[in-house]
Amino acid sequence: AFLLYSEDRTDRGIALSLQNNPVNREARELQHDSNLLEPANPFKNDDDENPKANLQEPRKEDDGGVLLPPQNLPGELGKPVVLPTNLSAEVKKMVDDGWLKNAFNQYVSDMISVHRSLPDPRDEWCKKPNRYLTKLPATSVIICFHNEAWSILLRTVHSVLDRSPKHLIKEVVLVDDFSDMSHLKQQLEDYWKSEPRVKIVRAKKREGLIRARLLGAREASGPVLTYLDSHCECTDGWLEPLLDRIARDPTTVVCPVIDVIDDTTLEYHWRDSSGVNVGGFDWNLQFNWHAVPDKEKKKHENSAEPVWSPTMAGGLFSIDKKFFEKLGTYDSGFDIWGGENLELSFKTWMCGGTLEIVPCSHVGHIFRKRSPYKWRSGVNVLRRNSVRLAEVWLDEYAKYYYQRIGNDKGDFGDITARRKLRDDLNCKSFKWYLDNIYPELFVPGDAVANGEFRNLGHGGKTCLDSPARKSDLHKPAGLYPCHRQGGNQYWMYSKTGEIRRDEACLDYSGQEVILYPCHGSKGNQYWEYDEESKLLRHGSSDKCLGINASKTKLIMEQCNNNSNNQRWTLENYDS
Ligand code: UD2
Ligand code: MN
């Protein structure tokens, strides 16, 4: 739940049309089917071991069961693998094809051992004797995949088996969400034939990750469920600190720190516990990361201790199976991707549990910049999931999400069973959750105005417009013809004089009018709105906000009561 994947992103459109091109399909299948096409080793040196050999079978173990990968192989110790720039046309095509299919560098992954070594990112605090209970519950590890790359999927599973105490892994359940890549069929079964702990479950139709996870849960026999994405790597000692929290209190839901595996080089990046983040969300119902709030920091002596988190990212967590069932698992009406992480987060807190990030546990994940697989056509899946979430869990706060989507809820299906679940569990209100678990969140109801901010100059059809994503911070805020659909034109005017959306505030320091992280100390982010004159006067410069004649740019000018291009209407203004 990191990126807002829109289903009609042009880059994905291109990817799909290329994939459907018979020539590409053939090349792809050749590669998957039989590994007939050896990826030519771009570092080719006749003495080198063929990198593809690493993918075929597990490495030999010495007597102590310790894996001994030669340190000079690509990617060992989580080091980056950088392809040379002078690739042959044939190799370049394979590299491009890998990107197209997976949205990460599959070619590089194929060069790296599926048992590669990783750095140990743990704080010394984590390794203290008796840090964890000696008797821990075993877990079923559930990994769902839809058309995952071979080497990435195997590395995920091997990292679990290689780096967990044997008795703590009840089984690894691989749930195939109706993939059509041929390497995920018989070849996958054959590969795990001699590993009784790995079970493969197949969905009979494309279910999406949420129902696929539920399918996995039904097959799981361990008292604890641990979910991972299919492109992860677990580091040393990742499991015990998670299970320890659940052993102490089965209503605790725990997430490891999610380290970044670089999508291009597969480098394993990690930070020490002082850089731990917790999860939040915005009123688009999108997940985001935050520094640990001071109030939470004060509760701990060491930064490696588990911290409370308002939400989870979604993919990587452990939960007591009975508690998961008590909470009604996931809403099985959620399709394909998204929203389920907030559903589980909200109900964990609201229905008597605790959600934690455990800094002693590190698992890497490849964050992709686009979604490589097909979604459903004709419905906005993510919106539908989010509306179901809002209808069931957000109470009177649901309207703030609806404002962001132009109040267009669409067909969200039947939610009576989910509402009943919430009633039966006697869960606390969303207001309680916001007041107690996520007081840092800016609530639009505290704003004096919310909706479109329309300029009355040059025809009066221009609105303040900007995506205001993290990547837009520090950049000029934009303008666009008003469209009345919320989204990038949904703004709030706060009681303290900010013009903001989520964490982004309109800010002027003498140059351009930009978006900047809200700092709450007025100054360059202070705007005084006068309902009579409709001027927005800026605090520190005493100038007024206007637009240029071509309606393309925000400008700051000497305030002028008679100038329509400095006049604004703020929707739902209520002083
Ligand atoms: C994040 C989560 C992911 C999930 C998602 C939706 C992390 C690291 N990742 O996005 O787990 O919670 O947010 O909120 O927290 N898959 C299927 N069937 C599908 C689509 C996906 O089985 O129809 C699998 C996919 O192969 C992968 C997992 O579900 O293993 C998550 O999908 P993703 O990697 O595209 O999601 P991600 O990491 O962007
Ligand atoms: Mn993922």
Side-chain angles (χ1 to χ4, degrees), residues 242 245 253-258 276-279 287 289 292 304-313 355-361:
L242 297 177
R245 299 302 291 171
V253 180
V254 282
C255 306
V257 169
I258 308 178
V276 167
N277 281 320
V278 295
F287 171 86
W289 293 108
V292 180
E305 293 172 22
V307 284
W308 282 12
S309 182
T311 68
M312 65 157 89
L355 179 58
E356 291 180 345
I357 309 263
V358 180
C360 288
S361 173

Side-chain angles (χ1 to χ4, degrees), residues 141-145 153-154 156-157 171-177 184 188-189 191-192 197-203 212 215-216 219 228-230:
V141 178
I142 302 172
I143 301 171
C144 303
F145 60 90
L153 177 61
L154 295 196
T156 305
V157 180
E171 73 235 313
V172 178
V173 182
L174 298 180
V175 185
D176 170 14
D177 185 13
L184 298 168
L188 189 67
E189 321 244 339
Y191 185 93
W192 293 111
R197 286 184 299 167
V198 175
K199 291 187 190 166
I200 300 173
V201 181
R202 311 267 186 190
L215 207 65
E219 297 298 319
L228 296 177
D229 275 9
S230 47

Side-chain angles (χ1 to χ4, degrees), residues 229-231 365-366 368:
D229 275 9
S230 47
H231 32 258
H365 170 262
I366 304 187
R368 296 182 282 205

